[in-house]
Amino acid sequence: MKLLSALSLVPLVAAAPAAEVSPRGLEVPNSVVPSSVRVRGISLLGSGCPAGSADVQIDATKTLIEVTFSEYIVETGPGTRAADWRKNCKLTLNLEFDEGFQFATLATDMSGFAQIPTGSRGICTNTFDFTGATGSSQYALALPGPREGPFTLHADPDVVSWSPCGGTTAIMNMNTQCNISPTQNPALIAVDRISGKVTVNISVQWQKC
């Protein structure tokens, strides 16, 4: 598990009155946002995010979280092992913000590189929940063959889960996992060859409790 040092974010200007598109392409819905948000701590654990290979950033609007992985590689075919066929990373993000707010994850974009032949299928699943709250949001992203090249996949949850009210902190848990089947065919889900990363962009909405 890797614990990253806490970081402070610059104050946010007033929210725009209409929905807008973030610099990374996710639509950001109307929302009232806290005047300050601070990341108190981040932990990362899993085969897809060995120490030093993952990074978390929050954009200036506080409505987009970007998680990048530089060693997230899923591979099947001759010479591969069970550990290669599936990768996962559990991220725990501890946020501190103004009292009287809560937030939810609304959508995800996942991008990387895929080489999936006919007859094979890749799937990535991102699951979000909040410590102390019931329910979770799950996003399934399918990569059926044949395809080869960069990909960006968008998904919305069936159920939106909100962080608990009544405090100034919330712990968001994200578990991302990808696998390919069948395992005997050569196939790959990996970092993009240009950016060198697998990226998960998470659209976030705030509201007053």
Side-chain angles (χ1 to χ4, degrees):
M1 177 177 293
K2 179 186 178 185
L3 182 63
L4 303 182
S5 59
L7 57 108
S8 297
L9 299 173
V10 295
L12 177 69
V13 297
E20 56 187 42
V21 177
S22 74
R24 296 175 179 87
L26 283 177
E27 183 175 291
V28 179
N30 293 341
S31 65
V32 179
V33 299
S35 60
S36 65
V37 177
R38 178 174 177 266
V39 179
R40 297 183 64 183
I42 301 168
S43 65
L44 296 157
L45 179 67
S47 58
C49 52
S53 68
D55 181 61
V56 180
Q57 300 289 333
I58 300 178
D59 80 339
T61 70
K62 302 179 181 70
T63 59
L64 186 73
I65 300 173
E66 182 184 77
V67 186
T68 57
F69 308 97
S70 60
E71 295 185 25
Y72 202 112
I73 300 172
V74 184
E75 190 172 11
T76 58
T80 61
R81 303 173 299 167
D84 302 317
W85 306 336
R86 175 186 175 276
K87 292 293 174 70
N88 83 294
C89 182
K90 182 177 180 181
L91 177 149
T92 301
L93 177 65
N94 189 350
L95 286 181
E96 182 177 27
F97 44 84
D98 299 338
E99 186 174 3
F101 282 88
Q102 64 179 164
F103 70 97
T105 61
L106 296 186
T108 65
D109 277 351
M110 189 167 191
S111 59
F113 179 87
Q115 190 174 34
I116 313 289
T118 301
S120 290
R121 175 183 175 87
I123 187 165
C124 296
T125 304
N126 299 316
T127 304
F128 298 87
D129 64 71
F130 294 95
T131 299
T134 58
S136 63
S137 300
Q138 186 174 88
Y139 308 74
L141 304 162
L143 284 165
R147 67 183 302 154
E148 180 174 354
F151 70 86
T152 297
L153 298 174
H154 179 80
D156 298 304
D158 294 328
V159 178
V160 174
S161 178
W162 290 89
S163 64
C165 281
T168 59
T169 62
I171 298 175
M172 184 188 79
N173 306 297
M174 180 187 85
N175 188 34
T176 180
Q177 57 181 325
C178 294
N179 65 77
I180 303 171
S181 61
T183 59
Q184 68 269 21
N185 296 336
L188 181 71
I189 299 174
V191 300
D192 182 76
R193 292 178 176 176
I194 297 175
S195 69
K197 300 173 182 178
V198 169
T199 303
V200 180
N201 287 322
I202 307 155
S203 177
V204 173
Q205 182 175 11
W206 294 88
Q207 70 177 16
K208 291 186 176 180
C209 293

